[in-house]
Amino acid sequence: ANSGQTTRTIIVQGNNQTGGTNPGASIAINSTTLEPLEKIALLLPGVDSQGKGAIATLEIERTNGTGRIFISLDENRPAILEQTQGSIKNAVQVAKNFDQLTATRFSQSDLLLVFKVNSLEVSGGSAGAATAVASIALLNGRRIKAHFAITGTVNANGSIGKVGEVLEKARALKRAGVTTFLVPVGEAMQRTNIANSSENCTEETIQGGVFRSCTTQTNIEPLVVNVSREVGINVVEVWNIETAYGIIAE
């Protein structure tokens, strides 16, 4: 590659090899791109295959371009499943339409998204809100506040949709040093299950000996918890990207 350039394998969203348009297409190609003009990164909360909270990192790079979206694809990156690809494409479209500045900057840029996670794949749509606010910040030349994170799907009108496992995500973010967690409206309170065990014992005297027998019974009881109080992290409900961006960008 020439000086100031790098070669990557990428997924092209929505273009086929003949130059036509296909919104569902994802084509792996080799491409030589300019070094990024700007870069932004933020933490993505998720859950692992055991349902425990886990953290990934999303990096978005901006180069001079024509409004294309790229997702990094190489042997050191997880597979990005179809639902996540669709969520990312929708999120960047919301960012593009956020205001006149983002629309203009997007038309003159290409965005490369890089997911860093200790997993073989990335699935689900909960990275949509994070992708949208990070893209807007990048296109506006702003940053994401330190120790802030967000979860939620994003709809075409910019509203933020509900996701699962917010309590586990909050716990993972707390361990990672995050102090403020933006969540969809209605998800600052979470239903969880609490196991309560009780032991019942009886004693019986047989031929001068005392025999003790115990049984343990475990009951699973549903409980609604306040995520902020349960985890010790500031939880803020946000209903759309505009509100979220106003809180999380600096």
Side-chain angles (χ1 to χ4, degrees):
N2 296 329
S3 176
Q5 295 183 330
T6 182
T7 300
R8 294 186 175 92
T9 303
I10 54 180
I11 293 176
V12 180
Q13 291 288 333
N15 294 312
N16 62 31
Q17 290 172 314
T18 61
T21 299
N22 180 353
S26 298
I27 305 166
I29 63 173
N30 288 321
S31 175
T32 301
T33 60
L34 295 174
E35 287 294 336
L37 301 174
E38 298 172 291
K39 180 188 292 187
I40 199 167
L42 74 167
L43 297 180
L44 294 179
V47 292
D48 61 20
S49 57
Q50 283 75 48
K52 299 297 183 181
I55 298 296
T57 300
L58 170 64
E59 293 181 352
I60 306 179
E61 301 175 1
R62 185 182 75 84
T63 64
N64 289 325
T66 56
R68 296 172 297 178
I69 309 165
F70 301 110
I71 303 175
S72 175
L73 177 66
D74 61 44
E75 61 183 6
N76 298 316
R77 303 285 181 240
I80 310 299
L81 300 190
E82 185 175 355
Q83 183 184 8
T84 304
Q85 291 185 39
S87 173
I88 291 168
K89 183 179 178 182
N90 187 50
V92 176
Q93 192 68 25
V94 168
K96 170 189 171 183
N97 297 329
F98 184 73
D99 58 24
Q100 186 58 49
L101 177 59
T102 58
T104 301
R105 292 289 296 276
F106 182 81
S107 68
Q108 300 168 350
S109 307
D110 288 340
L111 300 183
L112 172 65
L113 285 76
V114 181
F115 289 87
K116 296 181 178 181
V117 57
N118 186 24
S119 174
L120 295 177
E121 63 182 36
V122 176
S123 61
S126 64
T131 303
V133 295
S135 298
I136 294 167
L138 182 62
L139 291 168
N140 277 281
R142 297 178 66 181
R143 314 305 299 171
I144 299 297
K145 291 177 183 176
H147 312 301
F148 277 61
I150 183 173
T151 190
T153 63
V154 62
N155 301 309
N157 64 358
S159 61
I160 295 174
K162 291 186 176 182
V163 295
E165 307 295 345
V166 169
L167 184 58
E168 285 299 326
K169 292 175 181 178
R171 287 171 174 153
L173 289 171
K174 174 70 173 180
R175 293 192 295 269
V178 170
T179 58
T180 300
F181 184 26
L182 277 57
V183 304
V185 170
E187 297 211 276
M189 305 292 291
Q190 289 287 300
R191 293 184 178 276
T192 187
N193 292 322
I194 300 296
N196 292 317
S197 298
S198 59
E199 187 178 64
N200 296 314
C201 297
T202 60
E203 293 183 353
E204 184 178 4
T205 302
I206 302 177
Q207 296 180 352
V210 177
F211 293 86
R212 181 180 174 87
S213 175
C214 296
T215 59
T216 301
Q217 181 175 352
T218 300
N219 296 316
I220 304 298
E221 299 180 3
L223 181 68
V224 177
V225 299
N226 181 303
V227 176
S228 181
R229 293 175 185 170
E230 181 74 13
V231 178
I233 190 172
N234 183 32
V235 176
V236 180
E237 293 186 345
V238 289
W239 76 276
N240 67 5
I241 292 300
E242 182 178 3
T243 303
Y245 177 68
I247 295 171
I248 205 169
E250 64 176 9

